[in-house]
């Protein structure tokens, strides 16, 4: 397995772990699976920035990945 493949697998594994904890994932404003987010983050020529959304008690409840436009 190449270094790139290990990194790709690590990203997907991390997202699945987060999702399994009940944290809701979004990609460009739409509900998304860990597979969808990992695929786009790995294969798109764009960067994606996560925005961490907490509840009133400070518990992580959502992560929203949005494409960052680089000019």
């Amino acid at each position: 397995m190449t270094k790139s493949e290990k990194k790709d697998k690590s990203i997907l594994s991390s997202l699945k772990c987060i999702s399994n904890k009940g944290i809701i994932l979004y990609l460009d404003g739409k509900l998304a699976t860990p597979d969808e987010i990992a695929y786009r983050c790995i294969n798109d020529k764009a960067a994606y920035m996560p925005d961490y959304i907490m509840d009133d008690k400070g518990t992580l409840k959502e992560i929203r990945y949005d494409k960052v436009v680089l000019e």
Side-chain angles (χ1 to χ4, degrees):
M1 185 179 294
T2 68
K3 186 175 181 179
S4 178
E5 289 171 331
K6 287 180 186 177
K7 181 180 174 186
D8 296 352
K9 187 174 181 179
S10 175
I11 291 169
L12 180 57
S13 177
S14 294
L15 287 167
K16 284 184 178 182
C17 182
I18 289 166
S19 180
N20 287 339
K21 290 180 180 180
I23 298 166
I24 301 168
L25 301 172
Y26 291 89
L27 180 64
D28 291 328
K30 298 178 183 176
L31 282 173
T33 66
D35 293 297
E36 291 169 322
I37 295 169
Y39 179 83
R40 293 273 298 275
C41 288
I42 293 164
N43 294 304
D44 279 5
K45 299 290 184 199
Y48 286 85
M49 182 175 67
D51 186 16
Y52 300 91
I53 309 300
M54 310 287 196
D55 65 14
D56 293 339
K57 297 177 184 175
T59 303
L60 182 62
K61 66 176 193 169
E62 298 174 4
I63 303 177
R64 299 176 183 182
Y65 289 86
D66 293 304
K67 186 184 283 190
V68 178
V69 178
L70 305 173
E71 293 182 26

